[in-house]
Amino acid sequence: EKGNYRHFMQKEIFEQPTVVAQTLRSYLRPGEQRVALPQIDFDISAIDRITIVACGTSYYAGMVAKYWFEQFARVPVDIDFASEFRYRDPILTPGGLALFISQSGETADTLAALKHCKANGQVIASVVNVPTSSMARESDLLLPTHAGPEIGVASTKAFTCQLAVLAALAAHFAVKKGLMDREEEAEVVKHLLEAPASLNAALDHDDEIADMAHLIAPARDVLYLGRGADFPLALEGALKLKEISYIHAEGYASGEMKHGPIALIDDAVPVIVLAPSGPLFEKTVSNMQEVQARGGKVVLISDADGIAQAGEGCMAVIEMPKVHPLIAPLVYAVPVQLLAYHVAVAKGTDVDQPRNLAKSVTVE
Ligand code: F6R
């Protein structure tokens, strides 16, 4: 039931603090400040390569996880769309872990890729929201998200729960590989436990985002920019906007703008910039200024420090709580979801059942 919400998507966006907390409970032991994974019957420290395979929004969660696995656990990560992976004759050497991410656990291409990896000697892990799904049944290591049923066709809460599980998994790998000491592990646990409150703080900006929807609704094209682990959020923001508001949108790595897409910039193309303050902030801001110098209309999503530093000259700003870079991808998911949601509502599209889309893609 939708309760007081107008749409399932809206309800599911607002459930995120609760379901992320619920999911984290299965992967963290707050008292001991430790990451705690389900019983694993293979040797993690022997895994020398991870192959991540998924589709759509779940793929973007995998892209974020690649940054985390490489940063914390120093394991090389290969990631591909399931529909590409299964037909490209990938090189799978013994000792690899294949990691599948799926809300439904039934996506045809992802399931086929899983079976291919299984037949080729990979250890199979899956992050799924439906614990009885085909992918769950085929896995050596099942890592469930506890998002509850997701009804809106556009994925929202499943995504942030996937990120929560993947962050814990990356930290666990780092611990097992001897690359993360107790103190660093305690830090990661602390930041992950801050995520639900930060998600709530992000949701507090709902009215403000609804008010700015009219700035985006008339656009024909919208660009999203981000860097590092927030680059996949730019892709996710663009996907959300396309699928429910039918506005053409693209996400780019900020540094790629000058290699082509900047040619699109004029005052009719809103550019949404995801720039939490942190090590990559200055770089992203300089890309943003290149856009502004060409008349581009920027919506800056950053925290108070970032907005104080770079907010001037933007068409609009959305202030996020100041968060540790580890949880920024979870928290910055909220404004991009809300922006897509309110633009779709402003345009009067069918938010929960966008045209041409199905919740679970069980055909190739
Ligand atoms: C986007 C969306 C889709 C799914 C994709 C994978 O909002 O919902 O892109 O993420 O179809 O679905 P699952 O995660 O069920 O494998």
Side-chain angles (χ1 to χ4, degrees):
E1 260 316 301
K2 280 187 287 225
N4 292 329
Y5 293 99
R6 210 170 140 190
H7 297 100
F8 281 109
M9 182 184 180
Q10 185 190 28
K11 173 173 178 263
E12 290 161 3
I13 291 171
F14 277 84
E15 277 172 358
Q16 291 177 110
T18 310
V19 295
V20 165
Q22 201 164 287
T23 299
L24 285 171
R25 270 200 285 280
S26 308
Y27 295 91
L28 304 178
R29 280 202 294 266
E32 297 145 62
Q33 298 180 294
R34 303 220 68 174
V35 174
L37 259 73
Q39 196 56 45
I40 293 182
D41 54 11
F42 56 90
D43 178 12
I44 285 191
S45 62
I47 301 259
D48 54 11
R49 200 175 135 194
I50 300 176
T51 304
I52 301 179
V53 184
C55 302
T57 291
S58 297
Y59 173 83
Y60 298 142
M63 276 183 79
V64 175
K66 174 183 165 88
Y67 288 87
W68 290 336
F69 279 116
E70 294 185 345
Q71 181 191 343
F72 297 138
R74 308 301 299 154
V75 197
V77 175
D78 186 28
I79 171 162
D80 209 350
F81 294 117
S83 57
E84 284 299 309
F85 178 85
R86 58 181 294 205
Y87 298 115
R88 77 169 154 85
D89 201 7
I91 298 157
L92 299 166
T93 45
L97 175 81
L99 175 60
F100 300 86
I101 307 169
S102 175
Q103 189 284 128
S104 60
E106 301 294 346
T107 301
D109 281 321
T110 313
L111 183 59
L114 185 157
K115 288 178 177 160
H116 179 80
C117 288
K118 203 171 184 177
N120 284 273
Q122 304 296 287
V123 176
I124 308 295
S126 64
V127 177
V128 296
N129 196 43
V130 181
T132 51
S133 59
S134 308
M135 282 180 224
R137 283 198 306 270
E138 299 274 349
S139 298
D140 302 308
L141 174 61
L142 172 60
L143 301 162
T145 46
H146 302 293
E150 194 179 59
I151 311 291
V153 163
S155 185
T156 54
K157 62 177 181 170
F159 176 70
T160 40
C161 288
Q162 287 165 350
L163 292 178
V165 172
L166 292 163
L169 182 65
H172 188 69
F173 261 75
V175 169
K176 291 288 176 199
K177 288 197 168 265
L179 293 169
M180 187 177 273
D181 63 25
R182 283 299 292 265
E183 215 169 298
E184 291 164 321
E185 186 181 2
E187 276 294 299
V188 165
V189 171
K190 172 173 161 268
H191 295 308
L192 287 175
L193 290 170
E194 285 161 359
S198 300
L199 289 165
N200 262 318
L203 287 165
D204 283 343
H205 294 270
D206 183 43
D207 287 342
E208 188 185 318
I209 295 172
D211 288 343
M212 84 183 46
H214 72 277
L215 296 171
I216 310 296
R220 208 188 60 174
D221 310 284
V222 178
L223 295 182
Y224 287 75
L225 304 182
R227 257 185 199 265
D230 302 303
F231 160 47
L233 269 293
L235 299 171
E236 169 62 2
L239 178 63
K240 286 284 95 90
L241 189 71
K242 289 190 255 231
E243 65 182 333
I244 62 169
S245 78
Y246 314 145
I247 296 174
H248 171 243
E250 296 301 330
Y252 283 99
S254 314
E256 274 295 294
M257 272 305 275
K258 56 169 105 40
H259 300 286
I262 200 158
L264 293 171
I265 297 300
D266 63 23
D267 61 9
V269 183
V271 181
I272 319 291
V273 178
L274 298 157
S277 60
L280 301 173
F281 179 76
E282 303 288 341
K283 296 276 178 209
T284 306
V285 166
S286 102
N287 304 131
M288 179 182 103
Q289 287 161 346
E290 289 156 11
V291 166
Q292 286 170 317
R294 286 154 186 86
K297 294 257 165 58
V298 170
V299 176
L300 174 63
I301 310 181
S302 185
D303 45 45
D305 287 351
I307 289 171
Q309 225 174 300
E312 218 174 274
C314 292
M315 170 170 72
V317 296
I318 305 175
E319 188 185 319
M320 289 291 100
K322 188 158 169 109
V323 295
H324 188 270
L326 173 67
I327 63 164
L330 283 91
V331 176
Y332 282 63
V334 169
V336 300
Q337 294 165 349
L338 286 174
L339 193 61
Y341 173 75
H342 288 297
V343 170
V345 169
K347 296 196 74 173
T349 56
D350 187 344
V351 170
D352 284 333
Q353 294 282 334
R355 67 188 183 197
N356 310 338
L357 294 174
K359 183 66 189 159
S360 185
V361 184
T362 50
V363 292
E364 296 183 8

